[in-house]
Amino acid sequence: MRTQVAIVGGGPSGLLLSQLLHRKGIDTVVLERKTRDYVLGRIRAGILEVGFVELMREAGVAERMDQECFVHDGTVISYGDEQFGINFKELTGSHVVVYGQTELTRDLYDAREAVDGKIVFNTENVTINDADTDSPNVTYSVDGTEHRIDCDYVAGCDGFHGVSRQTIPLTVRKEYEKVYPFGWLGVLSETPPVHEELIYASSGRGFALCSMRNENLSRYYIQCSLSDSPEDWTDEAFWTELKRRIPADAAERLVTGRSIEKSIAPLRSFVTEPMRWGRLFLCGDAAHIVPPTGAKGLNTAASDIHYLHHALVQFYETGDTDGIDLYSERALARIWKAERFSWWMTNLLHRFPDQSEFDLRMQRAEIEFLRVNREAQSVLAQNYVGLPY
Ligand code: FAS
Ligand code: PHB
């Protein structure tokens, strides 16, 4: 088989790139190691920057999102029972959109399948070959049968545990990592959200987040020990702990219910450089990871796809390669700013096991400064709604 761009990974990065390139007449094949249902069964991000929304519009898959999403002009930060709002609209003129990653991935799958987009599921042994030559290829097997795709370019959209990043030699690749000493225990419940906006709660017992997917589907998180497993937490224990970490008025309003999903995500900051090696490009979680505190994971995948999509279209339409040659530099410039913001929000709101009394006073002083200083709030708002592409 031959295609113009072979895409490894059928998550949001791979599907969005495939759909955008299709709209410009560029042929792709997506290789996904799982099934569509498995991919759609993972509960992940919930907050989209306007830049992501515009990409979905450009890809022609924004109709359901426009109908069903929530627009949030701000968020709440709480510290014990104290709470204050950050008004994105007033401070930046912009906002964020609440629309679950599961739903946007479903929309992308539907769009690809509506035009018979080539997506191969249940692929095994995916190997990217000769990426540092002018004729790369990708080999893989399905049900024991070997296949090969010859292509012009390969997009590695296969997430943190994929093969693409490993294809770049260690003599070329440099990795930066910070692992946090806690995780997030997340619960999805068919209950009305506790507040019309998100509540990022810092408390003496640890971090908590009140989020949502729609008017009767809520997403809650509490900071937990890395030694915990979801089975250690009954629904009742989760709700009790959440109520202890959010402001009393929210705890009183909270509608609890049976969890329909319960999982623990580890937190890490991670970047690999460069994001291009020959004719292989890394996008999204294949290249970088952020702690979800700043809601940047999916949104940094979007800006990678924005840069790579425009670079490949420029090449196929004009033969120019400056977009391709600048891809890694442009993507990394925005990614590092998102890494900083996510690291900063995580340090601001979580309890660390080695924190001294002084450290706790510094944390409180930073939150207090954020509460009273418009410029500090503006810096948070500009990063949260999304820095320019
Ligand atoms: P993904 O990991 O989503 O997709 C990669 C795809 O490649 C997967 O479908 C995988 O099956 C496939 N793949 C892997 N190896 C392969 C191979 N060898 N061959 C073929 N296919 C292969 N972000 C937020 O903003 N907010 C959150 O709350 C949040 N929560 C998260 C919770 C968890 C547990 C995780 C892991 C991530 C979370 N994220 C969150 C980040 C998440 O949303 C990612 O940023 C987003 O999924 C990135 O999308 P992709 O780059 O497409 O990677
Ligand atoms: C979510 O709704 O899953 C979510 C929202 C904001 C975050 C992280 C996760 O910062």
Side-chain angles (χ1 to χ4, degrees), residues 233-376:
W233 288 84
T234 62
D235 288 358
E236 184 185 359
F238 177 84
W239 296 122
T240 301
E241 188 59 36
L242 178 68
K243 288 179 180 177
R244 287 176 174 155
R245 299 188 186 188
I246 60 179
D249 65 323
E252 282 163 27
R253 281 199 312 271
L254 183 69
V255 176
T256 64
R258 183 177 64 83
S259 62
I260 59 173
E261 192 270 355
K262 190 184 290 175
S263 55
I264 292 179
L267 271 62
R268 78 174 77 237
S269 299
F270 177 89
V271 179
T272 193
E273 294 185 349
M275 287 175 55
R276 177 215 176 177
W277 183 60
R279 289 179 172 251
L280 169 61
F281 304 96
L282 303 183
C283 307
D285 278 19
H288 45 78
I289 297 284
V290 284
T293 325
K296 290 297 155 217
L298 191 53
N299 292 301
T300 43
S303 48
D304 294 346
I305 296 306
H306 166 84
Y307 298 129
L308 183 55
H309 159 236
H310 285 283
L312 289 169
V313 169
Q314 179 196 40
F315 169 73
Y316 281 111
E317 289 183 350
T318 68
D320 289 350
T321 62
D322 55 2
I324 283 174
D325 296 338
L326 285 170
Y327 166 72
S328 182
E329 181 185 336
R330 280 177 176 157
L332 285 165
R334 188 173 190 272
I335 284 155
W336 277 113
K337 296 184 182 79
E339 290 283 344
R340 182 210 66 81
F341 174 66
S342 305
W343 163 84
W344 173 79
M345 279 279 274
T346 303
N347 278 283
L348 180 72
L349 299 171
H350 289 74
R351 284 293 174 277
F352 288 72
D354 60 353
Q355 271 177 317
S356 67
E357 284 305 311
F358 179 80
D359 295 333
L360 290 170
R361 297 298 285 186
M362 288 297 98
Q363 210 173 37
R364 181 172 182 87
E366 178 123 32
I367 292 176
E368 182 58 17
F369 182 66
L370 186 62
R371 185 175 70 81
V372 301
N373 186 279
R374 182 183 172 81
E375 284 68 29

Side-chain angles (χ1 to χ4, degrees), residues 147-213:
H147 299 271
R148 170 176 164 139
I149 301 175
D150 290 290
C151 52
D152 299 334
Y153 293 101
V154 182
C157 301
D158 48 353
F160 186 66
H161 301 290
V163 297
S164 300
R165 184 173 70 250
Q166 313 301 333
T167 302
I168 301 179
L170 281 171
T171 51
V172 174
R173 180 162 44 107
K174 180 164 179 53
E175 299 185 349
Y176 303 83
E177 184 169 46
K178 180 180 184 59
V179 177
Y180 296 87
F182 41 74
W184 277 19
L185 168 61
V187 157
L188 197 63
S189 60
E190 290 172 326
T191 55
V194 71
H195 191 72
E196 67 265 16
E197 291 179 337
L198 272 60
I199 301 176
Y200 284 85
S202 177
S203 83
R205 300 181 66 88
F207 172 79
L209 173 61
C210 302
S211 185
M212 65 198 71
R213 292 292 179 270

Side-chain angles (χ1 to χ4, degrees), residues 9 12-13 31-33 42 44-45 101 157-158 221 284-285 297-298:
S13 293
L31 302 178
E32 168 53 51
R33 74 175 169 188
R42 295 184 303 223
R44 289 187 174 168
Q101 175 172 326
C157 301
D158 48 353
Y221 298 94
D285 278 19
L298 191 53

